[in-house]
Amino acid sequence: MPNLSASETHIRAVSQLGHALSEDIRTKILLELRLGSSYPSDLADHLDVSRQVMSNQLGWLKSHGLVVATRQGQRVSYQLASPHIAHALDEMLKVTLSIDPQCCSNDDCNCEPGSCPCCIGSGEHCYDEH
């Protein structure tokens, strides 16, 4: 059998990330958290989901090692477990634009250059030509 370019552990970890991204709400959470830590109630309000749904999804992401929780007084904030996850998500957004350059050109998109989901950080230019 030929040598794999990744170990079985690596393959499982990449599959786990793919599984996380297969659910839209988890994808939205991860994309939000790539910009910085947040409280569950703020995420729920921003993503227009119930707090119970947010709690369940954050619990799933935490149990799979993608996010970590930090107690801040009586509140708990969540952030990505590693800056590498944010980098991977940024790269995936770039790939998405190469697959579908029109991702931000539909009528539903209200993003501003530098702040849309296809932009990598608020200070950099948008890869979309809008």
Side-chain angles (χ1 to χ4, degrees):
M1 179 176 195
N3 290 338
L4 295 175
S5 63
S7 70
E8 289 298 320
T9 303
H10 290 113
I11 292 167
R12 280 192 302 277
V14 171
S15 293
Q16 190 168 297
L17 179 59
H19 185 66
L21 295 172
S22 71
E23 177 66 41
D24 284 352
I25 188 63
R26 289 194 298 256
T27 300
K28 290 176 184 179
I29 293 167
L30 291 172
L31 289 172
E32 285 297 314
L33 292 178
R34 87 185 207 285
L35 302 175
S37 65
S38 188
Y39 296 109
S41 59
D42 294 340
L43 282 168
D45 292 345
H46 183 71
L47 298 177
D48 197 30
V49 298
S50 72
R51 291 179 183 196
Q52 182 63 49
V53 166
M54 183 58 61
S55 177
N56 291 343
Q57 295 303 326
L58 285 169
W60 190 96
L61 291 166
K62 183 179 174 189
S63 71
H64 288 82
L66 296 169
V67 301
V68 293
T70 304
R71 180 158 296 283
Q72 297 176 336
Q74 293 194 7
R75 297 181 79 188
V76 175
S77 70
Y78 285 82
Q79 64 187 36
L80 295 177
S82 165
H84 297 292
I85 297 170
H87 179 73
L89 292 167
D90 288 343
E91 292 302 313
M92 285 181 195
L93 287 172
K94 291 177 189 176
V95 169
T96 301
L97 275 173
S98 69
I99 294 168
D100 182 8
Q102 302 303 315
C103 80
C104 290
S105 63
N106 63 44
D107 292 336
D108 296 332
C109 185
N110 296 320
C111 61
E112 297 291 326
S115 65
C116 72
C118 297
C119 299
I120 310 306
S122 59
E124 295 184 27
H125 75 283
C126 187
Y127 291 91
D128 189 15
E129 298 295 324
H130 65 115

